[in-house]
């Protein structure tokens, strides 16, 4: 049975989804802020709008979480530079009844014969040389951390730009409406 390609099943590309999310954010911003401006309440300043958007943005929280994860993972143990220690312990207990008759006529009957077996194992390994894999992995983790920081900065700048554009659009509409009156 022939299936359609995966890109035919997903109608939106990543940039289309980003545009949709930005439009939704601006609609939410306008829907929450516009009624307060129209109802003769205290006017919100640009700095208040920016601070509110920065404080309540889920995109910023997600980017901060990604940065925290990258920072935690940027560790020499994750890169494989630390030794590995494994340990295990087992304890086996067994109770059986013994009934034995030998060829010389001797008979042995022992009920509830107990046996106990305990094993403990500790193993340690350390990488001495693996073709610079540890250093390469560490560089990759450093780069992932820098990339996460850059993405956080990009998200913050994008939100600041969106809020400022929407704020000045509302101010322009207010000025236009006062001009018409």
């Amino acid at each position: 049975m022939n299936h359609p390609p995966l890109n035919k099943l997903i109608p939106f590309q990543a940039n289309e989804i980003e545009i949709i999310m930005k439009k939704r954010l601006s609609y939410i911003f306008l829907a929450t802020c516009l009624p307060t401006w129209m109802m003769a309440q205290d006017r919100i300043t640009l700095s208040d709008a920016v601070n509110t958007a920065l404080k309540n943005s889920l995109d910023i929280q997600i980017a901060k979480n990604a940065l925290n994860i990258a920072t935690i993972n940027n560790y020499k143990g994750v890169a494989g530079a630390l030794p590995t220690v494994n340990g295990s312990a087992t304890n086996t207990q067994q109770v059986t009844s013994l009934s034995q008759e030998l060829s010389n006529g001797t008979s042995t009957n022992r009920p509830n014969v107990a046996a106990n077996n305990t094993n403990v194992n500790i193993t340690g390994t350390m990488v001495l040389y693996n073709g610079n894999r540890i250093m390469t992995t560490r560089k990759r983790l450093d780069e992932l951390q820098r990339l996460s920081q850059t993405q956080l900065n990009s998200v913050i700048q994008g939100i600041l730009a969106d809020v400022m554009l929407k704020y000045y659009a509302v101010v322009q509409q207010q000025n236009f409406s006062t001009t018409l009156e």
Side-chain angles (χ1 to χ4, degrees):
M1 182 167 145
N2 291 337
H3 295 288
L6 185 60
N7 60 357
K8 298 292 183 188
L9 294 176
I10 302 173
F12 296 109
Q13 298 296 330
N15 56 357
E16 291 174 341
I17 293 172
E18 184 177 336
I19 291 170
I20 291 170
M21 292 305 291
K22 284 183 180 181
K23 284 182 181 178
R24 286 185 183 170
L25 178 66
S26 64
Y27 292 145
I28 291 171
F29 177 76
L30 287 176
T32 57
C33 294
L34 192 59
T36 59
W37 286 326
M38 295 178 77
M39 296 175 64
Q41 296 178 354
D42 293 334
R43 289 186 179 243
I44 187 169
T45 63
L46 178 60
S47 62
D48 292 338
V50 167
N51 289 335
T52 302
L54 292 177
K55 183 177 74 171
N56 296 332
S57 173
L58 294 177
D59 291 333
I60 291 176
Q61 292 175 6
I62 290 170
K64 282 182 181 178
N65 287 342
L67 177 61
N68 287 339
I69 290 169
T71 303
I72 290 169
N73 283 339
N74 191 5
Y75 179 64
K76 61 184 176 182
V78 175
L82 295 179
T84 303
V85 178
N86 295 324
S88 66
T90 59
N91 184 16
T92 306
Q93 295 184 4
Q94 183 178 14
V95 177
T96 59
S97 294
L98 178 65
S99 177
Q100 192 175 38
E101 196 166 319
L102 300 175
S103 62
N104 64 0
T106 308
S107 159
T108 305
N109 272 335
R110 292 187 187 160
N112 300 327
V113 176
N116 187 7
N117 185 10
T118 303
N119 292 322
V120 177
N121 181 18
I122 296 177
T123 306
T125 60
M126 180 156 181
V127 176
L128 297 177
Y129 180 75
N130 66 352
N132 290 329
R133 180 174 177 233
I134 294 171
M135 298 303 294
T136 305
T137 304
R138 187 61 194 255
K139 288 178 185 176
R140 181 179 57 84
L141 293 173
D142 286 337
E143 193 61 34
L144 285 174
Q145 184 177 359
R146 281 193 291 276
L147 178 64
S148 295
Q149 180 64 49
T150 303
Q151 286 175 339
L152 174 62
N153 292 341
S154 175
V155 167
I156 290 172
Q157 289 174 3
I159 289 174
L160 288 176
D162 286 343
V163 168
M164 288 179 186
L165 285 172
K166 301 305 182 225
Y167 181 83
Y168 287 120
V170 170
V171 169
Q172 184 181 17
Q173 289 297 321
Q174 286 178 339
N175 290 338
F176 182 69
S177 68
T178 56
T179 304
L180 292 176
E181 292 174 0

